[in-house]
Amino acid sequence: MNLTTEPTSLNTPAGGDPIDPFAGGGEMGALLRAHPWETTPLGPVSTWPQTLLTSLSLCLRTNFPAIIAWGPELIAFYNDAYRPILAGKHPWAIGRPAPEVWSDVWVVIEGMFTAALSAGLSTPTYDMPFFMLRKGYLEECYFTGCLSPITVEGGAVGGLLSIVTDTTERVIGERRLRTLRELVRAASDPVHPAAASAIVRSCEASCQVLGGNVADIPFSIVYLLDEDGRSARLASTSGIEAGQAASPSVISLDDDHAPWPLRHVVETRAEVLATDLAIRLDNPAVIDVVGSALVMPLAPAGQARLNGFLIAGVSPMRRDFDESYRAFFHLIKEQVTGAISNASAFEEERKRAQAFAEIDRAKTAFFSNMSHELRTPLTLILGPVEDALAESAGSLHGDSLNTVHRNALRLLQMVNSLLDFARLAAGGPHLSFARTDLSTLTRDLASSFRSLTERAGIKLVVDCPPIAQSVYVDPAKWEKIVLNLLSNAFKFTFQGEIVVKLHESGDQVVLTVADTGTGIPAGELPHVFERFHTVEGAKGRSIEGTGIGLSLVQELARVHGGSVHVSSVEGQGSTFAVSIPTGSAHLPAEQIVEGGARPPSSVRPYLLEASQWLETVQEVDVPILPRSEAAPHDERARVIVADDNADMREYLTRLLSTRWQVEAVADGVAALESARRHPPDLILSDVMMPRMDGVALLGALRGQPETRHVPVVLLSARAGEEAILKGLETGADDYLVKPFAARELLARVQTHLDLARLRREWSAELARADERAQRLTGEMRARDQFLTIASHELKTPLTPLALQLAMARKLLRAGLTSGASVPVEKLTVGLESAARSVERLTGLINNLLDVAKTTSERIDLKREQMDLGDAVGRAVEGLREALNASKSEWHTRAERSVTGFWDPRAIETVACNLLSNAIKYGNGAPIAIQIDCDDKVARLRITDHGIGIAEEAKSRIFERFERAVSADHYGGFGVGLWLARRLVEAHGGTIGVASSEGAGTTFTVELPAYPDAKQLE
């Protein structure tokens, strides 16, 4: 393209002055006019081409930042709006070549200039980053603009025009806002319940976010202030490793050489800008980009005490630490402070929840123990009394009367201990402290155990010299301290010695009770004085106990102004030490009495209870007493009785030996050894025993071929407890809950002995029915399990199976008595009828068990962070055999991993029930499983293409025992969908259905993806 010839001098209009290209250019126009252009490669203004003059005039008059680079040397012209971009380089840059003006970024922009000059190409840029030396430091800048060529005559490029906008503040502002957004999100993320410290976790999350913006925050350090306020502990860092000179694990506020002025921040509650970072930072890479750091206090509004400190590195080599930069740091500080406060509230809530849970566990353990402790003496009182009432004479005498008396005293002791503990826990009863000869009192109490220790082969050493100083105690309460400690030592000491000492130590009197017993595991030592706490699996003479003895000792020592401590080595023994002050200054004046009669001693119940731990009942074989039903065979059946309580062993032996041979042992180990030597006809065992309990004994018996089929009846004082359930699942034949009636016990034992005998007599004749009999036995156990949970203290379990077996027994007995042949066909029909009844009852019991438990109990969810897809996968795997059998194809689609805080077992149950429903009613059609999630809700959809659900049935299918189709065709009890709804609603979610007849069904489960802290309780 040919242009008009460029003039070689300024155009001069007719009759006027020469055109001034700098007119209207403001301050820059004046500066350009005054510049000595004749000394530059461009020469005098009068020689400049018209294109340059026109372009310059336009450049100076525009309000947008613009710069012209003209000629081969790229001489710079710019307008007033461009001056802030040059900053400190103005006015030095006027008339200088562009490579000099932008020497700090020329390596970046040279290619753009070359392309525009050589090819005549315009080059746009958007938020292009630069690091420029225009203010004396390497500054981070961003620009949006366009570099365009200016053509002269002939189409050649005479120069370049660049119009730009400085977008630095916008780009940096967006980056900082993004950091603040991520901090808010990190603070709102749920904390895993298993996290060691929610506060430290929140600090780590905050530093992780800050570490993603090294341009504004080269490094960050968070310290948390200790409770004493004199030291700070490192919580987290970013951009700098923990343990460096600037980030030690602990900083003492009293240390004058601490790396950061934390003490000054605490005293003034004001931030401090630290500038001498070279002496603090030992990482050269960090020193190169960090000029200073702001030390800020972390304290919620209105709170006097600081939570900690945030130390944030400032980068003056990138941005000046202006008000905007400082305000950004203040917003960061507020977010971190809020995150710590939220985490602190969460942690406090979790601690409260744990404390409540611990109290609940303690109460459960206490009531379980008390159930056992109270039921045993009640059995031994009620049993002999009922026997006496049944006799014509109607009186108690001899061993029976002694048993009743001992157990009544034991019951009284337990009640008194409970009352003492309750009064102390409620603030304490009125105590009477009197000046007491503590040496004599303690020696007498300890010596009362001497006969017991001698019988047990244990040495008792009592060393209680006179106490010179006066000592005030409540004698009755001191008795309980001494007797509880002595009883505890005797219970867990099998050989060696027990040493009781009383001595002065300054202004204290110290009682020590040391033994060479089994000791206490190290992990249990911190808990031995907790109320209701018992050491599981501890080896002792008995496992009986309420778990309040040692806690009562601690409380009684406390009301005396003293304390109790324990030291122990497992397997070597334990030492308990009770210290109380001498004198009476520490006691309430109104509770101090002078003289007074000593209350009756409470030592006898302790001695009676401890003496039971030594008793061993030998095998009893007494003549057969007359009874209404004589045994149909000559030899009496042999029964092993296992119980750790001597009175209970003696009572059971006396009760059973009138009919059968009885061998009584004190624990499961002895029972197992006897059964292996000579398998008995029946074993009657307590559930709770030392060394080996009844459940473990049952498992060991079932694991040995020679004892596998021995009937086992369990005696339990914990009705409905897990031990009974485990026993039934393992294979117990029956159980009785204490207290029980003697007649019921005899009837149960007789029934199971008769059943065992019948099994032996029928073994040859009914060999082909053995498998069915085993199935019936298993169903009978399942029946007993259901009855255990449903009634807890079931005494007369009657089922169709028992009725059929009783009928079969009568038929057989009638045949044996009359000499006629046994009607085998009729027996077989009866057994088949029993089998059908039990099979139907088993299904009914299982369904009712789920319904009863879910209806009567609050659903206790055990939440944890889990993947919804994993739970569905486990459900699919568990139903794979059913899926294969139905020939259904299935596929799972999940757009991404979906996680939340749910109960894995409950969610798996929901998925399993819905999948089972799809298999049952899908008629072999494909099954689709879809998992997705938005910000607040996780969804699980399970779709089948089966028979569908009628419109009128949709409103009731989630109710108990409701069905959409007849049970005649598809079976089932109608509780699966009801249970799924209960579990989903317990999570705060919903479950819905979309279906039409013949077109398939879709169930949709919606669960909160991020439940709040209240839902996690």
Side-chain angles (χ1 to χ4, degrees):
M1 179 178 180
N2 294 325
L3 300 176
T4 57
T5 303
E6 293 280 356
T8 57
S9 62
L10 293 175
N11 290 334
T12 304
D17 295 330
I19 296 175
D20 183 3
F22 306 115
E27 183 180 339
M28 279 307 301
L31 290 174
L32 291 174
R33 181 184 296 109
H35 193 75
W37 294 106
E38 61 276 5
T39 63
T40 69
L42 293 180
V45 176
S46 61
T47 65
W48 292 0
Q50 182 61 44
T51 303
L52 172 58
L53 296 174
T54 303
S55 299
L56 182 57
S57 178
L58 291 172
C59 174
L60 294 175
R61 284 172 172 78
T62 183
N63 292 327
F64 286 92
I67 184 172
I68 294 175
W70 190 265
E73 296 83 6
L74 298 175
I75 301 301
F77 303 88
Y78 52 92
N79 61 10
D80 281 336
Y82 198 83
R83 288 166 55 188
I85 295 177
L86 290 169
K89 294 183 179 183
H90 171 77
W92 166 85
I94 296 174
R96 292 188 178 274
E100 291 184 21
V101 175
W102 298 121
S103 59
D104 48 350
V105 295
W106 187 249
V107 68
V108 177
I109 64 177
E110 182 180 11
M112 298 163 47
F113 275 70
T114 300
L117 288 169
S118 62
L121 299 176
S122 294
T123 307
T125 59
Y126 302 95
D127 295 333
M128 188 170 182
F130 295 96
F131 288 94
M132 305 170 65
L133 285 168
R134 57 181 185 170
K135 296 180 181 178
Y137 59 88
L138 196 62
E139 181 187 5
E140 179 186 16
C141 305
Y142 295 86
F143 298 97
T144 293
C146 184
L147 182 66
S148 303
I150 303 173
T151 58
V152 297
E153 183 181 5
V157 177
L160 301 175
L161 171 64
S162 177
I163 299 177
V164 298
T165 299
D166 188 342
T167 59
T168 302
E169 293 301 325
R170 178 180 60 79
V171 172
I172 293 177
E174 290 177 353
R175 182 177 69 205
R176 292 174 177 174
L177 183 60
R178 186 164 54 251
T179 298
L180 293 171
R181 262 197 320 265
E182 291 174 357
L183 277 176
V184 173
R185 186 180 299 112
S188 64
D189 283 345
V191 180
H192 194 283
S197 171
I199 298 175
V200 172
R201 176 68 186 88
S202 71
C203 295
E204 292 173 346
S206 297
C207 283
Q208 184 176 3
V209 172
L210 298 180
N213 185 0
V214 294
D216 292 314
I217 315 148
F219 73 87
S220 65
I221 309 173
V222 178
Y223 279 95
L224 295 175
L225 197 61
D226 283 349
E227 290 294 330
D228 59 7
R230 302 313 308 165
S231 58
R233 297 188 177 274
L234 181 68
S236 187
T237 66
S238 71
I240 184 172
E241 293 183 2
Q244 303 293 316
S247 54
S249 58
V250 180
I251 295 179
S252 172
L253 271 63
D254 298 324
D255 184 2
D256 294 332
H257 302 288
W260 304 104
L262 303 187
R263 181 171 59 190
H264 178 75
V265 174
V266 170
E267 293 172 350
T268 63
R269 297 181 68 86
E271 61 192 35
V272 175
L273 184 63
T275 55
D276 52 343
L277 295 194
I279 64 174
R280 292 186 174 92
L281 303 176
D282 47 10
N283 187 339
V286 177
I287 296 174
D288 287 344
V289 297
V290 180
S292 57
L294 192 63
V295 184
M296 297 170 281
L298 299 176
Q303 181 172 308
R305 188 181 183 278
L306 299 184
N307 286 337
F309 311 89
L310 171 62
I311 304 165
V314 181
S315 181
M317 298 180 70
R318 295 176 180 268
R319 297 293 300 169
D320 189 18
F321 193 54
D322 53 17
E323 287 304 316
S324 175
Y325 203 164
R326 187 182 291 267
F328 171 58
F329 273 12
H330 288 169
L331 291 174
I332 290 176
K333 178 189 72 172
E334 291 176 6
Q335 290 299 328
V336 174
T337 300
I340 292 176
S341 297
N342 292 341
S344 179
F346 174 85
E347 197 145 278
E348 288 299 321
E349 188 66 24
R350 184 171 66 177
K351 288 179 180 177
R352 283 194 293 271
Q354 289 175 341
F356 286 137
E358 188 59 37
I359 291 173
D360 188 59
R361 283 193 294 271
K363 287 196 303 182
T364 300
F366 165 70
F367 286 118
S368 296
N369 287 339
M370 284 309 302
S371 172
H372 182 274
E373 294 301 305
L374 294 174
R375 287 174 184 273
T376 297
L378 282 174
T379 301
L380 294 170
I381 293 172
L382 291 175
V385 169
E386 289 178 354
D387 291 345
L389 291 174
E391 294 176 0
S392 57
S395 62
L396 284 171
H397 53 81
D399 291 340
S400 297
L401 185 60
N402 289 332
T403 298
V404 170
H405 184 239
R406 280 196 303 270
N407 285 277
L409 288 176
R410 183 183 174 201
L411 204 58
L412 178 63
Q413 177 202 346
M414 285 191 288
V415 172
N416 288 337
S417 295
L418 285 172
L419 289 175
D420 285 339
F421 188 83
R423 290 182 185 131
L424 289 169
H430 182 80
L431 276 71
S432 298
F433 299 99
R435 185 172 180 177
T436 305
D437 183 354
L438 203 61
S439 175
T440 300
L441 176 59
T442 304
R443 184 171 54 250
D444 291 346
L445 292 170
S447 298
S448 64
F449 271 74
R450 190 173 301 282
S451 63
L452 279 177
T453 57
E454 289 176 352
R455 287 168 56 193
I458 301 171
K459 182 180 181 182
L460 177 64
V461 178
V462 180
D463 182 12
C464 299
I467 303 299
Q469 304 181 67
S470 60
V471 183
Y472 285 76
V473 299
D474 184 313
K477 302 303 182 285
W478 183 258
E479 272 196 6
K480 293 183 183 299
I481 291 175
V482 176
L483 294 175
N484 269 296
L485 292 179
L486 264 170
S487 178
N488 191 74
F490 182 72
K491 186 175 187 178
F492 295 102
T493 303
F494 295 88
Q495 58 185 3
E497 63 181 12
I498 299 174
V499 179
V500 180
K501 288 186 177 182
L502 188 72
H503 66 278
E504 296 178 72
S505 178
D507 60 350
Q508 300 277 319
V509 174
V510 181
L511 166 70
T512 60
V513 178
D515 63 63
T516 57
T518 57
I520 304 170
E524 297 285 349
L525 282 175
H527 308 290
V528 294
F529 295 112
E530 294 177 1
R531 53 183 172 177
F532 317 137
H533 180 78
T534 56
V535 179
E536 293 292 336
K539 180 185 177 182
R541 297 182 184 276
S542 171
I543 62 171
E544 296 176 338
T546 60
I548 64 172
L550 292 178
S551 57
L552 182 62
V553 169
Q554 184 183 52
E555 288 299 313
L556 290 174
R558 182 185 59 80
V559 298
H560 280 81
S563 61
V564 59
H565 303 281
V566 61
S567 60
S568 181
V569 177
E570 190 172 7
Q572 298 182 22
S574 306
T575 299
F576 289 84
V578 176
S579 302
I580 61 171
T582 57
S584 60
H586 59 286
L587 301 173
E590 67 276 8
Q591 294 184 6
I592 298 176
V593 298
E594 295 297 332
R598 176 178 168 180
S601 176
S602 58
V603 70
R604 189 181 181 193
Y606 287 90
L607 294 176
L608 285 174
E609 181 179 16
S611 67
Q612 301 305 299
W613 304 336
L614 292 178
E615 296 294 335
T616 302
V617 180
Q618 302 298 325
E619 180 173 343
V620 178
D621 189 2
V622 298
I624 302 176
L625 299 180
R627 60 189 180 96
S628 58
E629 294 183 11
H633 45 56
D634 296 334
E635 292 188 2
R636 290 181 299 157
R638 179 170 172 268
V639 177
I640 293 179
V641 172
D643 198 300
D644 61 321
N645 184 282
D647 270 340
M648 183 62 73
R649 291 197 304 274
E650 189 275 333
Y651 172 67
L652 292 173
T653 300
R654 179 159 36 87
L655 190 64
L656 299 177
S657 61
T658 59
R659 299 187 179 188
W660 305 289
Q661 300 181 57
V662 179
E663 178 184 355
V665 295
D667 55 47
V669 172
L672 182 61
E673 293 174 350
S674 176
R676 285 173 175 171
R677 289 193 307 268
H678 182 193
D681 295 286
L682 182 140
I683 294 178
L684 181 64
S685 173
D686 190 18
V687 172
M688 298 181 62
M689 295 183 294
R691 295 208 294 171
M692 178 184 287
D693 62 21
V695 175
L697 170 62
L698 185 56
L701 291 169
R702 294 296 182 252
Q704 298 290 327
E706 63 273 15
T707 58
R708 182 174 300 162
H709 302 295
V710 173
V712 177
V713 178
L714 293 179
L715 296 176
S716 174
R718 290 187 173 183
E721 283 295 319
E722 184 179 359
I724 295 176
L725 296 178
K726 287 183 178 178
L728 292 170
E729 291 169 358
T730 307
D733 295 270
D734 206 346
Y735 78 94
L736 277 172
V737 176
K738 301 175 184 178
F740 51 81
R743 292 181 179 179
E744 181 182 7
L745 173 65
L746 293 173
R748 295 285 187 100
V749 173
Q750 182 67 62
T751 297
H752 287 288
L753 286 172
D754 288 344
L755 288 174
R757 179 173 53 82
L758 285 174
R759 284 197 295 268
R760 290 193 300 269
E761 293 177 355
W762 292 351
S763 60
E765 190 173 351
L766 301 177
R768 291 174 296 180
D770 180 67
E771 181 177 354
R772 181 181 301 173
Q774 292 179 2
R775 183 168 65 254
L776 292 175
T777 302
E779 290 168 345
M780 184 176 68
R781 289 197 296 270
R783 177 210 64 189
D784 287 345
Q785 179 178 351
F786 165 70
L787 292 175
T788 299
I789 298 173
S791 67
H792 297 289
E793 295 188 4
L794 184 63
K795 292 184 172 63
T796 55
L798 297 175
T799 65
L801 174 62
L803 294 175
Q804 293 295 341
L805 290 177
M807 183 179 296
R809 184 182 63 188
K810 289 180 179 180
L811 288 172
L812 182 61
R813 181 177 296 167
L816 293 175
T817 303
S818 64
S821 61
V822 178
V824 177
E825 182 178 353
K826 194 170 185 179
L827 288 176
T828 302
V829 171
L831 288 175
E832 289 175 346
S833 175
R836 288 192 297 272
S837 298
V838 172
E839 288 171 354
R840 182 179 177 187
L841 183 59
T842 300
L844 176 65
I845 288 174
N846 288 336
N847 286 313
L848 288 179
L849 181 59
D850 287 340
V851 174
K853 185 172 183 179
T854 310
T855 302
S856 62
E857 298 179 5
R858 176 181 179 271
I859 297 178
D860 186 15
L861 299 178
K862 294 180 173 55
R863 296 178 184 263
E864 64 183 60
Q865 190 170 27
M866 58 164 286
D867 189 295
L868 183 56
D870 291 345
V872 174
R874 289 192 296 272
V876 170
E877 195 60 33
L879 293 170
R880 186 171 298 276
E881 183 175 346
L883 285 164
N884 293 337
S886 68
K887 299 183 179 178
S888 300
E889 297 180 359
W890 70 94
H891 61 274
T892 303
R893 182 164 65 90
E895 297 177 359
R896 58 189 175 94
S897 178
V898 176
T899 60
F901 278 89
W902 308 306
D903 186 322
R905 305 189 82 181
I907 299 302
E908 185 176 341
T909 298
V910 171
C912 188
N913 283 348
L914 295 181
L915 280 170
S916 298
N917 208 67
I919 296 169
K920 181 186 291 185
Y921 302 108
N923 286 344
I927 298 172
I929 305 168
Q930 182 178 351
I931 300 171
D932 57 47
C933 180
D934 57 26
D935 289 340
K936 295 182 179 180
V937 176
R939 294 183 184 85
L940 167 64
R941 291 186 179 91
I942 296 180
T943 302
D944 66 69
H945 299 83
I947 64 174
I949 302 172
E951 190 63 30
E952 64 271 16
K954 290 181 183 177
S955 61
R956 56 183 174 81
I957 59 172
F958 291 106
E959 298 299 324
R960 275 183 301 170
F961 311 127
E962 289 289 348
R963 309 171 50 82
V965 295
S966 171
D968 295 336
H969 297 90
Y970 288 89
F973 203 61
V975 297
L977 293 178
W978 174 82
L979 181 60
R981 175 176 64 85
R982 287 274 289 154
L983 294 174
V984 170
E985 289 177 350
H987 282 83
T990 60
I991 182 171
V993 62
S995 181
S996 59
E997 286 188 273
T1001 304
T1002 296
F1003 286 95
T1004 301
V1005 174
E1006 294 190 343
L1007 299 168
Y1010 299 100
D1012 57 25
K1014 184 177 181 181
Q1015 288 175 288
L1016 292 177
E1017 294 180 356

